[in-house]
Amino acid sequence: MINYTPKQYAQALHLAISESNPKDQERILDNFVQVLKSNGHLGLLDEIEKEFLRHDREQRGVKQAEITTAKPLSRDEEAKLIHNLNEYVGGKVELKKKVDEGLIGGIMVKIGDELIDGSVKKSLQELKNKLKE
Amino acid sequence: MKTDKIVEQLKNRIAAFQSQVKIERIGEVMQVGDGVARISGLSDAAASEILEFQTASGTVAGVALNLEESEVGAVVLGQQQKIKEGDTVKTTGRILSVPVSEKLVGRVVNALGEPVDGKGQIKSDKYYPVEKIAPGVITRESVKQPLQTGIKAIDGMIPIGRGQRELIIGDRQTGKTAIAIDTILNQKGQDVICIYVAIGQKESKIAKIVKTLSDGGAMEYTIVVLAGASEPAALSYIAPYAGCAMGEFFMDQGRDVLVVYDDLSKHAVAYREISLLLKRPPGREAYPGDVFYLHSRLLERAAKLNKDFGGGSLTALPIIETQAGDISAYIPTNVISITDGQIFLESDLFYQGIRPALNVGISVSRVGSAAQIKAMKKVAGKLRLDLAQFREMAAFAQFASDLDEGTRKQIERGRRTTEILKQPQYEPMPVEHQVAIIYAATNGYLDDVPLEKVKEFETRFHKYLTVNAKDLLNTIRVKKELDGEVEEKLKRLIEEFKRMSQ
C-alpha cells in the first residue's frame, strides 16, 4: 500500500471539495474520514487539518504571518503592519497574533520559514555577543 | 581611574552598537531523538551545512544531511537532550569545517577541532571543509619515497610509501594499533606530521596512547583526533574526515603527513547508525548503499602531490577489525579493494609468539619496492624468497621424518629469518640496522647460531654496530645503497663480530 503523506491527503481533500457542490461537502468529508479509517491514518487528522489550511491559503494567494509582540497591538498599529506585510509578500497576509512578554519590546514576524526578528530581546542578545568579542 | 576608563569604553561600544534586522530562514524541530533531528522549513539549507538549534539553554550545533522537499534531516553534534520539539533552527552559511593550523600539533582535539586536553584554546583563522574532493590526476605523481615504519617485517617485505594507503587488518588483540603507534614513534626527526584519529575507542586506551606518544617524544609532531565511544555517532562519523582535513592543510604546504584511522569498522558502524535513523534504506549487513563511497572518498584523499603542487604527501593507514579472521565480510572487502595493499595480522601467530603477528603470505603492498631504499631492496628480495620457500617446506616437512640436506638447511634458515622478524612493541628500528640484520640472515651468517640464541645475537649485533660501525651505518642511511664497497665492509664486520662472540 502506498503511504500517503498528510500533504497529499490535504491536497486531495481540497480538490474534491472545491470541485463539488457546496451541498455535497458533508458527504465528501464523511467519505474522506472513511478513507482515512480504512487506511488506518486517522491519527494524521491534526496534521492534515494544518496542511489543508495551508493549502487553502496557498490557493487563495494568502500567506500566514505569525507575529509575536510583547504587548497586544493597537488597532492602528495592526492596520499599518498588515499594510506593510502585504507589500512585502506581494499578496494578502493573514495575521496570527501571539503575545510574549519575554521579547521586552519590538516585534517578531514569521512568514513561512522566513523570520524577521526586530525584538528588543534579539538586539540585547546581539549586543551581548558583540561585547563578548 | 581604571574602572572609569573601562566604563567609558563600554559606553562607547554600546553607543556605537546598532542592531540590524535581517530576514533569516528558520526551521522548526519536528522530531528529535537518537542524535538525529527532523526539521521542517529551513528551505535554504545546504548539504552538510552547520545548523544552530536555539534551545532554552543555549545553542547546539548540528549538520544537515538529508535535504527533502519539506523537511531536513540533521545529526546533532552536541547535547541532544537540550533540544525540544518546536525549537527554532537556523542555518549558519558555513559548511562543516575544522580549524587548521600549526598550533594543532601536539594537541588532542575532538572531531570538530576543539581541544579536549585541557591545554587551552587553539586559535586559528583558517578553516578547511571536512568533506573535500580528493586531489585530481594532474596534481599527483607515483609513490616512490619510503615511509619507514621501523618494523623489520613491514619495511622489508611490505614497504609503505609516502602517499600510499596501506590497510592494517586483523582480529581484536592482534597488535593493529601497536603497528600504527610504532610507525608514528619512528617518524621522529623525519619531518612527518602524524595524525592519529581514534574513532569510537575507549578513552582509557586513548589516554594510554597519548602517554606512550608523549613519552616517546612523538607528540611534538602528532595531532590526536578523538571521537570517543561515549560521544554521539555523528562525531565518530565526522572524525576521520576532520583528521584528513587537518592533514591536507600540511600536505598543501608541501609537507609529508601520516594519518592513522583507528578504526574504520567502527566508523562504518557509526555511519550505519546515522543512516538507519535518517531512514535511508539498509543493504547488506544493514549498511547503507553508500558505505563503499564513505570509505573510498576518505582514502582517495591520500596522495603524493607532484612538484608543481608543492610535493606534499598524505599517507593513510586505515585499520579494520575483523571478526574471527573473516576478511570476506562487507567492510573488510570494501576497504581491501580501496587501499594499495594490506598488512594482515593473525591471532594464531600472535599466540605463537610471532609479534608483530604478520601473515607474510597474504600481506601485500601494491606499491612494492618503489617505496624502498636501494639497500633494503637488495637484501629484502632474498628475504621474501627465503620465507616463501620456508613456508612451503615447513608444511611439507611435517610429514617427513628425514629430510635431505638442502631442505633441512632451508627450514633452518627460515626459522632463523622468522626469529629475526620478531620485534617488541614500541621499539622501532632505524632502516640501516634493519638492512644489516636482514643481510646477515639472508646470507647465512645466522645458520650456525642456535635458534634460541638468535634473539640475543641480534641484540648484541645491533649494540656492536652502534659502537663500532657508526660510519658504515651513516653511509647506508645517507647513500641508501649497498654497493660493492659497503657490502664488503658489512660482510667483514659481521664476520668480525661472530669471531668475537665465540
Side-chain angles (χ1 to χ4, degrees):
Chain A
M1 199 187 76
I2 307 166
N3 228 344
Y4 300 104
T5 61
K7 197 172 177 178
Q8 286 167 324
Y9 275 124
Q11 278 172 358
L13 182 64
H14 193 271
L15 210 65
I17 287 180
S18 57
E19 276 175 357
S20 68
N21 229 314
K23 268 186 280 175
D24 294 335
Q25 278 185 4
E26 279 293 307
R27 198 174 50 83
I28 289 174
L29 268 181
D30 280 347
N31 288 348
F32 181 68
V33 174
Q34 285 302 322
V35 171
L36 282 188
K37 196 175 157 195
S38 66
N39 285 353
H41 281 164
L42 279 177
L44 294 179
L45 262 180
D46 279 354
E47 269 186 70
I48 294 173
E49 189 194 340
K50 231 199 261 171
E51 283 292 338
F52 184 85
L53 289 177
R54 194 158 76 189
H55 188 69
D56 185 51
R57 277 196 298 273
E58 224 171 71
Q59 292 293 312
R60 289 188 285 131
V62 175
K63 282 194 173 161
Q64 192 186 45
E66 214 182 287
I67 60 163
T68 316
T69 47
K71 277 181 242 119
L73 288 176
S74 71
R75 200 164 273 220
D76 258 12
E77 285 169 331
E78 200 179 306
K80 240 170 138 182
L81 183 67
I82 290 182
H83 178 75
N84 282 343
L85 286 178
N86 282 349
E87 232 164 61
Y88 174 70
V89 299
K92 270 185 90 71
V93 163
E94 248 177 43
L95 285 193
K96 191 177 163 192
K97 287 172 280 185
K98 249 165 80 180
V99 174
D100 178 4
E101 285 184 12
L103 290 188
I104 306 170
I107 185 169
M108 208 168 94
V109 184
K110 200 178 142 191
I111 306 170
D113 65 353
E114 281 175 288
L115 177 79
I116 308 165
D117 194 345
S119 68
V120 175
K121 183 182 165 193
K122 164 89 187 290
S123 310
L124 283 176
Q125 245 165 17
E126 269 180 23
L127 180 64
K128 185 174 145 197
N129 289 342
K130 193 108 192 185
L131 289 181
K132 260 189 192 167
E133 275 170 18
Chain B
M1 166 68 189
K2 219 178 169 190
T3 42
D4 278 1
K5 231 180 185 174
I6 293 171
V7 170
E8 192 59 36
Q9 252 181 10
L10 266 180
K11 250 184 178 168
N12 286 340
R13 282 178 74 179
I14 293 170
F17 173 75
Q18 252 186 340
S19 169
Q20 277 182 340
V21 180
K22 281 183 304 224
I23 300 166
E24 294 168 300
R25 296 268 176 177
I26 58 152
E28 204 172 85
V29 177
M30 290 199 294
Q31 198 186 49
V32 63
D34 301 317
V36 300
R38 295 201 302 141
I39 302 156
S40 70
L42 220 58
S43 54
D44 66 341
S48 83
E49 180 174 348
I50 299 181
L51 306 177
E52 240 172 37
F53 294 90
Q54 317 239 292
T55 68
S57 48
T59 59
V60 176
V63 182
L65 281 187
N66 270 10
L67 305 181
E68 285 161 35
E69 191 189 350
S70 61
E71 65 175 70
V72 172
V75 290
V76 183
L77 294 178
Q79 282 179 294
Q80 65 142 36
Q81 294 94 315
K82 285 186 182 171
I83 301 170
K84 283 199 295 290
E85 188 201 337
D87 280 347
T88 359
V89 187
K90 282 183 184 163
T91 54
T92 58
R94 274 191 300 142
I95 297 300
L96 187 59
S97 47
V98 286
V100 288
S101 87
E102 291 282 346
K103 294 193 184 94
L104 280 169
V105 177
R107 303 297 298 268
V108 184
V109 296
N110 68 10
L112 302 174
E114 296 157 351
V116 291
D117 52 3
K119 287 185 193 160
Q121 280 296 318
I122 301 171
K123 278 229 171 88
S124 165
D125 42 8
K126 218 168 168 191
Y127 283 80
Y128 263 37
V130 162
E131 294 273 6
K132 211 171 167 208
I133 300 294
V137 185
I138 45 154
T139 65
R140 293 180 187 245
E141 68 177 355
S142 58
V143 175
K144 55 178 185 223
Q145 207 185 345
L147 182 111
Q148 303 292 350
T149 63
I151 298 166
K152 282 171 279 183
I154 294 176
D155 288 345
M157 290 179 294
I158 321 150
I160 299 171
R162 295 191 177 180
Q164 194 182 339
R165 303 156 299 170
E166 182 81 10
L167 170 67
I168 302 172
I169 186 170
D171 279 5
R172 80 213 134 69
Q173 290 294 314
T174 48
K176 301 184 295 296
T177 304
I179 287 187
I181 299 302
D182 276 354
T183 309
I184 293 178
L185 287 173
N186 196 46
Q187 301 315 311
K188 198 172 188 176
Q190 307 286 317
D191 197 26
V192 175
I193 296 286
C194 299
I195 299 172
Y196 179 81
V197 185
I199 308 157
Q201 303 277 353
K202 290 183 284 259
E203 311 252 348
S204 61
K205 183 179 167 186
I206 306 304
K208 218 171 99 190
I209 287 173
V210 172
K211 181 153 191 312
T212 314
L213 289 178
S214 42
D215 285 353
M219 275 313 275
E220 282 157 35
Y221 51 85
T222 305
I223 306 171
V224 176
V225 181
L226 164 63
S230 65
E231 283 173 77
L235 289 174
S236 289
Y237 161 57
I238 294 167
Y241 300 101
C244 192
M246 291 171 195
E248 277 166 343
F249 168 72
F250 294 102
M251 176 171 75
D252 289 347
Q253 295 174 351
R255 302 182 65 175
D256 293 315
V257 185
L258 165 75
V259 191
V260 178
Y261 305 110
D262 192 2
D263 65 71
L264 288 188
S265 355
K266 293 206 182 70
H267 180 232
V269 168
Y271 185 58
R272 172 169 67 183
E273 182 183 328
I274 294 167
S275 294
L276 291 175
L277 289 169
L278 287 171
K279 303 201 169 144
R280 293 179 184 170
R284 183 177 160 191
E285 290 177 29
Y287 288 106
D290 62 342
V291 74
F292 183 87
Y293 181 58
L294 175 80
H295 289 147
S296 69
R297 73 172 189 264
L298 170 68
L299 294 171
E300 198 58 26
R301 282 159 77 176
K304 168 84 182 124
L305 300 180
N306 60 31
K307 281 266 144 47
D308 303 343
F309 290 87
S313 76
L314 193 146
T315 314
L317 284 184
I319 293 178
I320 289 277
E321 186 179 295
T322 54
Q323 305 296 329
D326 182 16
I327 53 168
S328 55
Y330 195 24
I331 303 301
T333 43
N334 275 354
V335 183
I336 285 173
S337 76
I338 294 163
T339 48
D340 306 315
Q342 68 272 357
I343 293 169
F344 189 72
L345 303 171
E346 267 183 354
S347 42
D348 283 354
L349 294 171
F350 189 83
Y351 294 124
Q352 278 169 32
I354 301 174
R355 296 175 199 183
L358 220 68
N359 182 326
V360 186
I362 49 178
S363 297
V364 291
S365 165
R366 281 177 224 165
V367 170
S369 55
Q372 272 177 326
I373 62 167
K374 275 199 179 128
M376 186 55 110
K377 232 185 268 187
K378 197 164 179 184
V379 295
K382 194 111 185 302
L383 176 71
R384 238 178 196 293
L385 199 69
D386 273 359
L387 275 179
Q389 280 175 343
F390 163 64
R391 270 199 311 276
E392 209 168 290
M393 297 290 183
F396 169 71
Q398 281 180 342
F399 305 105
S401 49
D402 43 22
L403 300 160
D404 65 90
E405 186 64 10
T407 315
R408 204 182 50 77
K409 254 194 168 159
Q410 240 159 18
I411 290 178
E412 287 301 311
R413 170 82 56 89
R415 287 210 179 116
R416 279 165 182 77
T417 316
T418 315
E419 199 63 28
I420 286 298
L421 293 181
K422 288 183 188 171
Q423 197 172 340
Q425 204 174 341
Y426 308 139
E427 284 178 27
M429 187 179 286
V431 66
E432 55 273 17
H433 278 273
Q434 294 185 21
V435 169
I437 188 70
I438 294 175
Y439 181 85
T442 51
N443 286 288
Y445 289 106
L446 294 180
D447 289 358
D448 51 355
V449 180
L451 190 59
E452 60 279 4
K453 288 252 171 85
V454 169
K455 209 68 266 185
E456 194 202 321
F457 177 91
E458 192 195 343
T459 333
R460 278 193 296 121
F461 178 59
H462 288 309
K463 252 188 214 147
Y464 179 78
L465 282 182
T466 19
V467 176
N468 296 314
K470 272 225 172 86
D471 290 352
L472 181 69
L473 292 177
N474 260 333
T475 326
I476 299 178
R477 186 169 52 227
V478 176
K479 267 174 81 184
K480 298 179 174 163
E481 254 184 280
L482 203 65
D483 48 18
E485 193 190 331
V486 182
E487 190 177 340
E488 200 52 47
K489 259 195 204 163
L490 183 61
K491 216 181 250 174
R492 249 184 293 138
L493 209 78
I494 297 171
E495 276 159 11
E496 200 180 310
F497 170 70
K498 280 187 71 176
R499 236 194 339 273
M500 265 181 46
S501 55
Q502 257 158 23

